[in-house]
Amino acid sequence: MPDQKLISEAAAVVSKAQVLVVSTGAGISKESGIPTFREAQTGLWSRYDPEQLATPQAFLRNRDLVWSWYMYRLDLVRQAQPNPGHLALVRLEDLVPQMVILTQNVDGLHVRAGSTDVVELHGNISRFKCFAACRGKPTLVDLDPASYSKEIAPPCPYCNSYLRPDVVWFTENLPTAALSRAFRVAEHCDVMMVVGTSGIVQPAASLPVVAKQRGAILIEVNPRVSGLSGLADIFLQGPAGEVLPALVDALHPA
Ligand code: OAD
């Protein structure tokens, strides 16, 4: 955990923010039991590289393997609860004039925690769509969890293609509306807090760069140095589930 002086310094910066943007990655959900992407995977999937599974080419090559991996992750997400890091961000929203969360996570935990302005840059693992986008992009399909296989990708009900999760895969574009809102708020925020991301996947990794170029103060929360740490004005080293509650307490003692 960072010392109290650094937490107080970050709290003073946040307390002056008019528009606070919080940009989150897999690290914020780790304490909810959801594995990150670039740290060691455990168990069944330890021998697979997530980047090898999260592409349209992988789905074409081995559809059921990709489907099973996402169903495994979806099960983890369904069992998971928001952790103190997510909940601290809900409290923080009431303490600043405007706060927007830009998340690379597909687990929906910010919304489940109660945050009200969340931009999901990489989609949501609980939604499904036709791989062929047969009725336009995206062709969303309601799927009853009780009625589908966890091992075999279900067929699209409208065409002869298959269903896939409504997440962004490598080589695919991010949803246009989410991406343009993200860059708009990054350009206009006065403070950006970057939490739990390795900061190497584009275009999300450019958001702090844009914010900093436009004069925002950058605060980073991460137990380890990341690709973005060089840019940070204040680096709060530690797990989000401990650092974020401490930061919010410093702003607004309970
Ligand atoms: P990564 O797995 O690349 O990075 C996770 C980051 O979280 C690392 O910097 C860890 O040090 C940090 N971390 C670990 N535990 C933490 C904790 N308790 N509190 C705070 N931070 C912690 O995940 P992302 O940067 O989110 O994209 O990955 C970005 C994208 O790459 C994902 O959205 C996904 C992936 O491939 C797509 O699938 C398109």
Side-chain angles (χ1 to χ4, degrees):
M1 268 288 280
D3 63 22
Q4 194 54 41
K5 193 166 155 277
L6 209 51
I7 296 270
S8 303
E9 201 184 307
V13 168
V14 170
S15 71
K16 292 191 202 93
Q18 289 303 308
V19 181
L20 170 66
V21 169
V22 183
S23 178
T24 67
I28 195 168
S29 294
K30 190 172 174 183
E31 289 153 273
S32 293
I34 301 175
T36 60
F37 290 91
R38 288 174 187 78
E39 298 172 289
Q41 298 270 312
T42 49
L44 182 61
W45 294 99
S46 55
R47 59 210 160 90
Y48 292 100
D49 174 358
E51 290 194 19
Q52 300 303 315
L53 294 170
T55 67
Q57 292 71 22
F59 192 76
L60 286 170
R61 223 174 19 241
N62 197 340
R63 195 173 55 232
D64 294 337
L65 176 73
V66 173
W67 178 259
S68 306
W69 186 62
Y70 276 96
M71 291 309 100
Y72 157 76
R73 289 190 69 89
L74 179 57
D75 265 351
L76 292 178
V77 164
R78 288 206 170 121
Q79 287 158 27
Q81 296 301 326
N83 68 55
H86 297 106
L87 297 172
L89 293 182
V90 179
R91 283 166 64 206
L92 185 54
E93 198 174 303
D94 287 338
L95 303 175
V96 289
Q98 191 190 352
M99 176 175 139
V100 185
I101 296 178
L102 310 177
T103 189
Q104 296 170 77
N105 299 343
V106 297
D107 56 36
L109 285 176
H110 286 301
V111 173
R112 273 175 57 196
S115 288
T116 62
D117 197 351
V118 181
V119 178
E120 293 180 325
L121 292 164
H122 291 169
N124 191 306
I125 195 172
S126 304
R127 285 193 308 259
F128 301 95
K129 64 183 180 185
C130 171
F131 179 74
C134 63
R135 297 193 172 184
K137 276 193 169 179
T139 301
L140 294 176
V141 174
D142 272 338
L143 207 57
D144 169 11
S147 70
Y148 62 83
S149 162
K150 292 207 161 67
E151 282 89 38
I152 300 170
C156 172
Y158 309 125
C159 72
N160 58 6
S161 185
Y162 291 87
L163 296 187
R164 53 163 284 183
D166 185 22
V167 299
V168 175
W169 282 337
F170 285 97
T171 73
E172 294 183 321
N173 292 327
L174 275 62
T176 313
L179 188 62
S180 57
R181 173 124 200 270
F183 275 95
R184 219 165 43 238
V185 294
E187 282 164 12
H188 292 107
C189 66
D190 42 12
V191 179
M192 183 180 280
M193 200 149 70
V194 182
V195 183
T197 175
S198 52
I200 55 175
V201 173
Q202 295 293 354
S206 297
L207 294 165
V209 179
V210 166
K212 180 94 183 186
Q213 280 166 350
R214 294 292 190 111
I217 299 175
L218 280 194
I219 299 170
E220 183 180 33
V221 178
N222 198 311
R224 276 175 291 282
V225 169
S226 79
L228 297 168
S229 303
L231 275 185
D233 297 289
I234 301 177
F235 180 46
L236 301 176
Q237 186 157 21
E242 294 174 28
V243 174
L244 292 175
L247 176 67
V248 177
D249 285 348
L251 266 168
H252 182 68

